Amino acid sequence: MAKSKNVCNAKKLSYISVPSQIINSLSSSSLQSLLVSPKRNNTNSFFSVYKHSCRNPRVWLFALFLFGLVGMLRLGWNIDTLIPFSPYPNPCLETQSNTDSVAQKHDALVANANNLGQPSHDSPSEISEFWKQPDGMGYRPCLDFSAEYRRTSEVMVKDRSKYLLVVVSGGISQQRNQIVDAVVIARILGAALVVPILQVNVIWGDESEFSDIFDLAHFKSVLANDVRIVSSLPSTHVMTRPVEEKRTPLHVSPQWIRSRYLKRINREGVLLLRGLDSRLSKDLPSDLQKLRCKVAFQALKFAPSILELGNKLAQRMQSKGPYLALHLRMEKDVWVRTGCLPGLSKEYDELIQSERRRRPELLTARSNMTFHERKLVGLCPLNAVEVTRLLKALGAPKTAKIYWAGGQPLGGKEALSPLTKEFPHFYNKDDLALPEELEPFAKKASFMAAIDYIVSERSDVFMPSHGGNMGHAIQGQRAFSGHKKYITPNKRHMLPYFLNSSMPEAEFNRIIKELHHESLGQPELRTSKAGRDVTKYPVPECMCNDAHSHFI
């Protein structure tokens, strides 16, 4: 092996391949002249030198070589392209990185699967219209805190007497929401926040910790002037039994938080809160709204390993043009919880109804509504047939590349067939990643969800088939990033047209486009949506209007 390595490190020899026809055309005397140098003629006559040179086969061979070399350069050949066709093995080439080679092959396969080299059958107007971004109306991120907030911050970050412990639950997007609330509650109480504890998810069994999913150093650094973040309780408080609160009502105000918890945390030094989901009001003072945006959009950054893979998959989707990301909510538990039916077949509908009867506690929707009533008021996820019709009506070209996020749908690949038949360039993380890239995250549902989040957020167009925490988080992030296109399906108003089988397709498409012309990610003022989360609608609390700037 050592010998082989030395050979590779030795000075490389270059060879010039001369076609056999040229060799055969040379006489034996010409070949001999290439091997034996002729005697020099010392004549000073220019004519004799010219005559001698013209008769010299070496000159002719050199001229032929130059002519061939110039031709190769003019054709844009690369000398490296000759290597694969060489009949001789090159042991040095075999020492190239295996990982790079496999990755390049994978990227080539993905590009080939996309058929991106084939001409599009869609008109340029259709393609440009679908990928067109909304007008950001000059809104840009703006997190200017008041002078009073900054003065209070100087005192708070130095305090060493009060600590807030929080346990967050649910999927990754639900956990993000609770982490945002935890930071704001710590600010309200003037307490240091111990890095949130992620409760083991009972459905997926994911035991990941905060630092496994999020960049802890970045989290602490960004919030250094707002709330003191510590990795663990100091030794002075380790033996303190924390006051535990499990009964915080929904949508409480900062005043309620102070009146309920401030005396207790001042007395005991440690407060433990669980189940923070939607416990804090969405209508907060301006500085606290800005803090929510700062945590959600700037402090909560995924861990480097997750970010690296997510960005890599996004780049593979972006490599040959724009792409659409779909968040499909078609998993079995979604159909059970929403009280809806997948519409795949009678067998699958009965399966969902049976599971719902067996475990009624899973039903989160209003139990006094029938499936049909829920469907008509827009409370059910769209199935694959409805998503396909909606995308076609909105002008999505057949050649559109689609990344789909979410768990495996009930019914497997068959449930997705209406989409894949109409939009064949249809991928998820398993299609884009090499097996060894996903292997470290295989049993980590939070990691997989985070990768879906990154690829979806970086897409040119995003659309969820149903609401949910991930869709809301991406909506706010895309707004904060300059109002990138986000399609909100207008289910309540469009479904009656879906049921009208006699309507001409052109008329159906016109109506669907009209219903969605204001639901494409344009700025929406939260002031007209009281009770809505600022991390979903960051205008106007977290974004300023500048008439001279447009984020398109």
Side-chain angles (χ1 to χ4, degrees), residues 61-75 77:
L61 185 60
F62 182 72
L64 182 64
F65 168 73
L66 287 179
F67 180 81
L69 180 62
V70 171
M72 288 170 63
L73 293 176
R74 285 175 64 88
L75 290 172
W77 285 13

Side-chain angles (χ1 to χ4, degrees), residues 27-37:
S27 65
S28 59
S29 60
S30 298
L31 289 173
Q32 180 68 18
S33 68
L34 292 175
L35 300 173
V36 182
S37 301

Side-chain angles (χ1 to χ4, degrees), residues 69 171 221 224 351 429 463 517 523:
L69 180 62
S221 174
L351 174 67
K429 51 188 172 290
M463 188 182 87
H517 79 283

